Amino acid sequence: MFVLCTLEDKVRLAPKDLRLDTADAVTAVLEKTYLDRVIPDLGLVVTLYDLLEIGDGYVFQSDGGVHHDTTFRVVAFRPSQEEVLVGEVISQDERTGVHVGLGFFEDIVIPPYGMPEPHSWDPEEKAWSWDLEGEEGASQLYFETGLPVRLQVTGLTYTPPPTPVDQSAAQSRGDPIPGSADCPHAPLVVTAKADGDGLGMVHWYDEGAMEEGS
């Protein structure tokens, strides 16, 4: 789920920061630049791990700041294909499926085709369900908002920020404007499935184990 990545960057220290310890000042700039930022093909940066090298400072004409070539490591959230995660159901809808969060990341989606088979959308409950047939008849196991769900990663999608052209085109079509409050931009979306052994709502299996053991 988490990977350690080595990066390089040119860090500018403003004149007001030159009184600070160089490593502390560089750390502050890197944290401001990288934390909670999605880098394509790397993932969501969650923390600065350490500084490997800070080069000698140099200045440019007409610039009072000092620049350092810096090599550092960050910890990034980048789940691997088929990795199993446990998150919390944060919302559901008929079109996109079940949305899951991990506390620090909330753009995990279980689309309808990733639901256990057979499944259905219940418009009254506003929830997806796994529809079972047993000796005692049909029953439904619901995905429940606010409770833990176990899922398996099937893909990662990195999306660049919407351009003004994209936003204008969406507005002319009458669609939600990407990047707006109605259609927030998600730079990284994790697609997952809940169809498989042990996948789905965690309590489905806890309750089943309790019944078998009673």
Side-chain angles (χ1 to χ4, degrees):
M1 177 164 51
F2 296 103
V3 292
L4 188 62
C5 307
T6 300
L7 301 175
E8 297 179 349
D9 200 355
K10 299 182 185 294
V11 176
R12 178 185 182 275
L13 300 183
K16 66 181 178 61
D17 295 328
L18 299 182
R19 60 183 174 79
L20 304 175
D21 175 77
T22 300
D24 291 342
V26 168
T27 296
V29 172
L30 291 174
E31 288 180 339
K32 184 177 180 180
T33 303
Y34 285 93
L35 292 194
D36 294 325
R37 172 185 169 190
V38 171
I39 301 176
D41 300 322
L42 187 149
L44 171 68
V45 177
V46 295
T47 189
L48 175 66
Y49 187 76
D50 61 7
L51 301 176
L52 298 179
E53 183 179 359
I54 301 176
D56 294 335
Y58 54 91
V59 298
F60 293 105
Q61 187 176 3
S62 307
D63 184 356
V66 176
H67 300 254
H68 295 270
D69 292 330
T70 306
T71 305
F72 56 99
R73 293 190 293 181
V74 300
V75 176
F77 169 69
R78 188 181 71 208
S80 58
Q81 193 84 359
E82 299 185 353
E83 182 173 359
V84 175
L85 306 176
V86 176
E88 180 181 301
V89 176
I90 55 177
S91 66
Q92 306 181 51
D93 65 68
E94 184 177 9
R95 184 176 64 87
T96 59
V98 175
H99 297 254
V100 179
L102 299 176
F104 63 92
F105 183 79
E106 297 189 344
D107 289 314
I108 302 176
V109 180
I110 304 171
Y113 60 80
M115 305 289 182
E117 294 289 352
H119 58 262
S120 63
W121 169 256
D122 188 326
E124 294 185 0
E125 296 290 340
K126 297 188 184 305
W128 285 93
S129 66
W130 181 15
D131 305 331
L132 302 177
E133 290 284 348
E135 295 179 356
E136 299 180 359
S139 62
Q140 291 178 298
L141 296 178
Y142 284 96
F143 285 84
E144 298 183 47
T145 301
L147 294 182
V149 61
R150 185 179 293 110
L151 52 87
Q152 187 173 45
V153 175
T154 58
L156 279 69
T157 303
Y158 295 92
T159 306
T163 66
V165 173
D166 297 330
Q167 294 175 323
S168 178
Q171 186 174 25
S172 65
R173 294 192 303 268
D175 295 337
I177 300 175
S180 67
D182 294 332
C183 185
H185 173 242
L188 170 62
V189 175
V190 176
T191 306
K193 69 175 184 177
D195 185 16
D197 292 341
L199 301 181
M201 299 301 295
V202 172
H203 70 267
W204 292 349
Y205 302 95
D206 291 345
E207 290 177 0
M210 289 173 60
E211 291 174 0
E212 291 176 4
S214 60

